[in-house]
Amino acid sequence: DEYLIKVWNEKVGIDDEVWVLGDVSWHNVTKTIEIFKRLNGKKNLCIGNHDKQYLKNKEFRELFGEICHYKELQYGDTFLVLSHWPINCFNRHYYGAVHLYGHVHMSWEWNMIKQWQYQSAALYDKPCRMYNVGCMIPEYDFAPQSFEEILNIWERE
């Protein structure tokens, strides 16, 4: 826990906006609140399948500016789709949008998603820009990543 708090606060400033794409903790709600209060940034949550128990707690909900299942954002010239679950046919995926998701960790499900990306790119001659942002991805080293860092990891030539 201390390592995760340390790397989070080294990368995230007090006023930075952060989107957590679900499954925030394996601790009980009291310990989870204690940890999240120590994290920098203005936090928002896309609800994951392991978050429902926490959402019953008012103090937990108050840690986040926005709580939703799905979010569309404009970041500069890029349209973003955020959700806990990967969505193969996400909004504007043929037009350069980027979909960030979690849920699949580094599992066989992620391999299925990567296969879908490959087939989609081959079929439509356009990249399928959907990226796993689970903190356990080796390039992330359990630290939050900026949008630019995510693109640099997944779209490097």
Side-chain angles (χ1 to χ4, degrees), residues 47-75:
I47 301 166
N49 54 302
H50 295 287
D51 299 330
K52 292 178 184 102
Q53 64 188 3
Y54 304 116
L55 293 171
K56 296 174 186 175
N57 184 293
K58 183 178 186 274
E59 189 177 2
F60 176 82
R61 292 190 312 269
E62 289 173 347
L63 294 169
F64 300 95
E66 185 171 349
I67 298 174
C68 57
H69 286 280
Y70 174 92
K71 183 71 176 176
E72 294 180 351
L73 298 169
Q74 190 72 36
Y75 185 83

Short mmCIF file of all heavy atoms in Angstrom, two decimals, residues 47-75:
data_model
loop_
_atom_site.label_atom_id
_atom_site.label_comp_id
_atom_site.label_asym_id
_atom_site.label_seq_id
_atom_site.Cartn_x
_atom_site.Cartn_y
_atom_site.Cartn_z
N ILE A 47 -17.09 3.03 -12.39
CA ILE A 47 -17.37 1.92 -11.48
C ILE A 47 -16.94 0.58 -12.07
O ILE A 47 -17.27 0.26 -13.21
CB ILE A 47 -18.88 1.87 -11.15
CG1 ILE A 47 -19.31 3.20 -10.50
CG2 ILE A 47 -19.21 0.69 -10.25
CD1 ILE A 47 -20.80 3.39 -10.45
N GLY A 48 -16.22 -0.19 -11.26
CA GLY A 48 -15.81 -1.53 -11.64
C GLY A 48 -16.67 -2.58 -10.96
O GLY A 48 -17.44 -2.27 -10.03
N ASN A 49 -16.53 -3.81 -11.37
CA ASN A 49 -17.36 -4.88 -10.83
C ASN A 49 -17.08 -5.18 -9.36
O ASN A 49 -17.91 -5.78 -8.69
CB ASN A 49 -17.24 -6.16 -11.68
CG ASN A 49 -15.82 -6.60 -11.87
OD1 ASN A 49 -15.00 -5.86 -12.39
ND2 ASN A 49 -15.51 -7.81 -11.46
N HIS A 50 -15.96 -4.73 -8.82
CA HIS A 50 -15.66 -4.95 -7.41
C HIS A 50 -15.91 -3.72 -6.55
O HIS A 50 -15.52 -3.70 -5.38
CB HIS A 50 -14.21 -5.41 -7.24
CG HIS A 50 -13.94 -6.74 -7.85
ND1 HIS A 50 -14.39 -7.91 -7.30
CD2 HIS A 50 -13.27 -7.09 -8.98
CE1 HIS A 50 -14.03 -8.93 -8.06
NE2 HIS A 50 -13.34 -8.44 -9.08
N ASP A 51 -16.54 -2.70 -7.09
CA ASP A 51 -16.72 -1.43 -6.37
C ASP A 51 -18.10 -1.26 -5.73
O ASP A 51 -18.29 -0.33 -4.94
CB ASP A 51 -16.47 -0.25 -7.31
CG ASP A 51 -15.05 -0.24 -7.86
OD1 ASP A 51 -14.14 -0.72 -7.16
OD2 ASP A 51 -14.87 0.24 -8.98
N LYS A 52 -19.03 -2.10 -6.05
CA LYS A 52 -20.42 -1.89 -5.60
C LYS A 52 -20.54 -1.80 -4.07
O LYS A 52 -21.28 -0.98 -3.56
CB LYS A 52 -21.31 -2.99 -6.16
CG LYS A 52 -21.45 -2.89 -7.66
CD LYS A 52 -22.30 -4.02 -8.23
CE LYS A 52 -22.31 -3.91 -9.73
NZ LYS A 52 -21.45 -4.84 -10.40
N GLN A 53 -19.78 -2.62 -3.36
CA GLN A 53 -19.86 -2.60 -1.89
C GLN A 53 -19.41 -1.25 -1.34
O GLN A 53 -19.95 -0.76 -0.36
CB GLN A 53 -19.02 -3.73 -1.30
CG GLN A 53 -17.54 -3.58 -1.60
CD GLN A 53 -16.73 -4.78 -1.18
OE1 GLN A 53 -17.26 -5.77 -0.73
NE2 GLN A 53 -15.42 -4.70 -1.35
N TYR A 54 -18.40 -0.64 -1.96
CA TYR A 54 -17.88 0.64 -1.48
C TYR A 54 -18.86 1.76 -1.72
O TYR A 54 -18.93 2.72 -0.95
CB TYR A 54 -16.55 0.98 -2.16
CG TYR A 54 -15.49 -0.07 -2.03
CD1 TYR A 54 -15.00 -0.73 -3.14
CD2 TYR A 54 -14.96 -0.41 -0.78
CE1 TYR A 54 -14.03 -1.71 -3.03
CE2 TYR A 54 -13.99 -1.38 -0.66
CZ TYR A 54 -13.52 -2.03 -1.78
OH TYR A 54 -12.56 -2.99 -1.66
N LEU A 55 -19.60 1.68 -2.81
CA LEU A 55 -20.50 2.77 -3.19
C LEU A 55 -21.66 2.95 -2.21
O LEU A 55 -22.31 3.99 -2.21
CB LEU A 55 -21.03 2.54 -4.60
CG LEU A 55 -19.97 2.64 -5.69
CD1 LEU A 55 -20.53 2.19 -7.02
CD2 LEU A 55 -19.43 4.06 -5.78
N LYS A 56 -21.89 1.97 -1.35
CA LYS A 56 -22.93 2.10 -0.32
C LYS A 56 -22.50 3.09 0.77
O LYS A 56 -23.32 3.57 1.54
CB LYS A 56 -23.21 0.74 0.31
CG LYS A 56 -23.79 -0.27 -0.66
CD LYS A 56 -23.92 -1.63 0.00
CE LYS A 56 -24.35 -2.67 -1.03
NZ LYS A 56 -24.37 -4.01 -0.44
N ASN A 57 -21.20 3.39 0.82
CA ASN A 57 -20.64 4.23 1.87
C ASN A 57 -20.53 5.68 1.39
O ASN A 57 -19.84 5.97 0.41
CB ASN A 57 -19.26 3.69 2.27
CG ASN A 57 -18.65 4.43 3.41
OD1 ASN A 57 -18.30 5.59 3.29
ND2 ASN A 57 -18.53 3.75 4.54
N LYS A 58 -21.21 6.59 2.09
CA LYS A 58 -21.23 8.01 1.71
C LYS A 58 -19.82 8.62 1.71
O LYS A 58 -19.45 9.36 0.80
CB LYS A 58 -22.14 8.78 2.66
CG LYS A 58 -22.30 10.25 2.34
CD LYS A 58 -23.27 10.91 3.32
CE LYS A 58 -23.56 12.33 2.94
NZ LYS A 58 -22.59 13.27 3.49
N GLU A 59 -19.02 8.31 2.72
CA GLU A 59 -17.66 8.87 2.80
C GLU A 59 -16.81 8.43 1.61
O GLU A 59 -16.03 9.20 1.08
CB GLU A 59 -17.01 8.47 4.12
CG GLU A 59 -15.70 9.20 4.38
CD GLU A 59 -15.09 8.85 5.74
OE1 GLU A 59 -15.64 8.03 6.48
OE2 GLU A 59 -14.02 9.41 6.04
N PHE A 60 -16.98 7.19 1.19
CA PHE A 60 -16.28 6.71 -0.01
C PHE A 60 -16.72 7.50 -1.24
O PHE A 60 -15.89 7.98 -2.00
CB PHE A 60 -16.52 5.21 -0.22
CG PHE A 60 -15.90 4.69 -1.49
CD1 PHE A 60 -14.57 4.35 -1.53
CD2 PHE A 60 -16.65 4.56 -2.65
CE1 PHE A 60 -13.98 3.88 -2.70
CE2 PHE A 60 -16.09 4.10 -3.82
CZ PHE A 60 -14.74 3.75 -3.84
N ARG A 61 -18.02 7.64 -1.44
CA ARG A 61 -18.53 8.36 -2.61
C ARG A 61 -18.01 9.80 -2.64
O ARG A 61 -17.73 10.34 -3.71
CB ARG A 61 -20.06 8.34 -2.63
CG ARG A 61 -20.64 6.97 -2.89
CD ARG A 61 -22.14 7.02 -3.15
NE ARG A 61 -22.90 7.80 -2.19
CZ ARG A 61 -23.46 7.33 -1.07
NH1 ARG A 61 -23.33 6.04 -0.76
NH2 ARG A 61 -24.15 8.12 -0.27
N GLU A 62 -17.87 10.41 -1.47
CA GLU A 62 -17.41 11.80 -1.40
C GLU A 62 -15.94 11.98 -1.78
O GLU A 62 -15.49 13.10 -1.98
CB GLU A 62 -17.67 12.35 0.00
CG GLU A 62 -19.15 12.56 0.26
CD GLU A 62 -19.47 12.96 1.70
OE1 GLU A 62 -18.57 12.85 2.58
OE2 GLU A 62 -20.61 13.38 1.95
N LEU A 63 -15.20 10.89 -1.90
CA LEU A 63 -13.80 10.97 -2.34
C LEU A 63 -13.69 11.33 -3.82
O LEU A 63 -12.62 11.74 -4.28
CB LEU A 63 -13.10 9.62 -2.13
CG LEU A 63 -12.91 9.15 -0.69
CD1 LEU A 63 -12.45 7.70 -0.67
CD2 LEU A 63 -11.93 10.05 0.04
N PHE A 64 -14.78 11.18 -4.57
CA PHE A 64 -14.76 11.33 -6.02
C PHE A 64 -15.64 12.49 -6.47
O PHE A 64 -16.75 12.68 -5.97
CB PHE A 64 -15.25 10.03 -6.69
CG PHE A 64 -14.39 8.85 -6.34
CD1 PHE A 64 -14.71 8.01 -5.30
CD2 PHE A 64 -13.21 8.60 -7.05
CE1 PHE A 64 -13.92 6.93 -4.96
CE2 PHE A 64 -12.40 7.52 -6.72
CZ PHE A 64 -12.75 6.69 -5.68
N GLY A 65 -15.12 13.25 -7.43
CA GLY A 65 -15.91 14.33 -8.01
C GLY A 65 -17.05 13.80 -8.85
O GLY A 65 -18.16 14.31 -8.83
N GLU A 66 -16.77 12.75 -9.62
CA GLU A 66 -17.77 12.13 -10.48
C GLU A 66 -17.65 10.62 -10.36
O GLU A 66 -16.55 10.08 -10.32
CB GLU A 66 -17.57 12.56 -11.93
CG GLU A 66 -18.65 12.06 -12.86
CD GLU A 66 -18.58 12.67 -14.26
OE1 GLU A 66 -17.84 13.64 -14.47
OE2 GLU A 66 -19.29 12.14 -15.13
N ILE A 67 -18.79 9.97 -10.32
CA ILE A 67 -18.86 8.51 -10.29
C ILE A 67 -19.84 8.08 -11.37
O ILE A 67 -20.98 8.54 -11.39
CB ILE A 67 -19.32 7.98 -8.91
CG1 ILE A 67 -18.33 8.40 -7.82
CG2 ILE A 67 -19.49 6.47 -8.95
CD1 ILE A 67 -18.79 8.06 -6.41
N CYS A 68 -19.38 7.23 -12.29
CA CYS A 68 -20.22 6.81 -13.40
C CYS A 68 -19.76 5.44 -13.90
O CYS A 68 -18.71 4.96 -13.51
CB CYS A 68 -20.16 7.83 -14.53
SG CYS A 68 -18.49 8.13 -15.16
N HIS A 69 -20.55 4.84 -14.76
CA HIS A 69 -20.16 3.57 -15.38
C HIS A 69 -19.38 3.79 -16.67
O HIS A 69 -18.58 2.94 -17.08
CB HIS A 69 -21.39 2.71 -15.68
CG HIS A 69 -21.97 2.11 -14.46
ND1 HIS A 69 -21.46 0.99 -13.86
CD2 HIS A 69 -23.03 2.48 -13.71
CE1 HIS A 69 -22.17 0.69 -12.79
NE2 HIS A 69 -23.14 1.58 -12.68
N TYR A 70 -19.62 4.93 -17.31
CA TYR A 70 -19.10 5.18 -18.66
C TYR A 70 -18.94 6.68 -18.79
O TYR A 70 -19.78 7.46 -18.33
CB TYR A 70 -20.13 4.66 -19.66
CG TYR A 70 -19.85 4.95 -21.11
CD1 TYR A 70 -19.15 4.03 -21.89
CD2 TYR A 70 -20.30 6.12 -21.71
CE1 TYR A 70 -18.91 4.28 -23.23
CE2 TYR A 70 -20.06 6.37 -23.05
CZ TYR A 70 -19.37 5.45 -23.80
OH TYR A 70 -19.12 5.69 -25.13
N LYS A 71 -17.85 7.11 -19.43
CA LYS A 71 -17.61 8.54 -19.58
C LYS A 71 -16.99 8.82 -20.94
O LYS A 71 -16.06 8.12 -21.38
CB LYS A 71 -16.65 9.03 -18.48
CG LYS A 71 -16.40 10.51 -18.49
CD LYS A 71 -17.60 11.29 -18.06
CE LYS A 71 -17.31 12.78 -17.99
NZ LYS A 71 -18.49 13.56 -17.65
N GLU A 72 -17.50 9.84 -21.60
CA GLU A 72 -16.89 10.34 -22.84
C GLU A 72 -16.33 11.72 -22.54
O GLU A 72 -17.00 12.55 -21.92
CB GLU A 72 -17.93 10.42 -23.96
CG GLU A 72 -18.43 9.06 -24.39
CD GLU A 72 -19.46 9.12 -25.52
OE1 GLU A 72 -19.92 10.24 -25.86
OE2 GLU A 72 -19.80 8.05 -26.05
N LEU A 73 -15.09 11.96 -22.96
CA LEU A 73 -14.40 13.23 -22.73
C LEU A 73 -13.72 13.69 -24.00
O LEU A 73 -13.32 12.87 -24.84
CB LEU A 73 -13.31 13.06 -21.67
CG LEU A 73 -13.69 12.65 -20.26
CD1 LEU A 73 -12.44 12.29 -19.46
CD2 LEU A 73 -14.42 13.79 -19.59
N GLN A 74 -13.53 14.96 -24.11
CA GLN A 74 -12.69 15.51 -25.16
C GLN A 74 -11.39 15.94 -24.50
O GLN A 74 -11.40 16.69 -23.53
CB GLN A 74 -13.38 16.72 -25.81
CG GLN A 74 -12.70 17.21 -27.05
CD GLN A 74 -12.88 16.27 -28.24
OE1 GLN A 74 -13.92 15.65 -28.39
NE2 GLN A 74 -11.86 16.19 -29.07
N TYR A 75 -10.26 15.43 -24.99
CA TYR A 75 -8.95 15.81 -24.46
C TYR A 75 -8.15 16.38 -25.63
O TYR A 75 -7.68 15.64 -26.48
CB TYR A 75 -8.25 14.58 -23.85
CG TYR A 75 -6.94 14.92 -23.18
CD1 TYR A 75 -6.92 15.40 -21.88
CD2 TYR A 75 -5.73 14.78 -23.84
CE1 TYR A 75 -5.73 15.71 -21.25
CE2 TYR A 75 -4.53 15.10 -23.23
CZ TYR A 75 -4.54 15.56 -21.93
OH TYR A 75 -3.36 15.89 -21.32
#
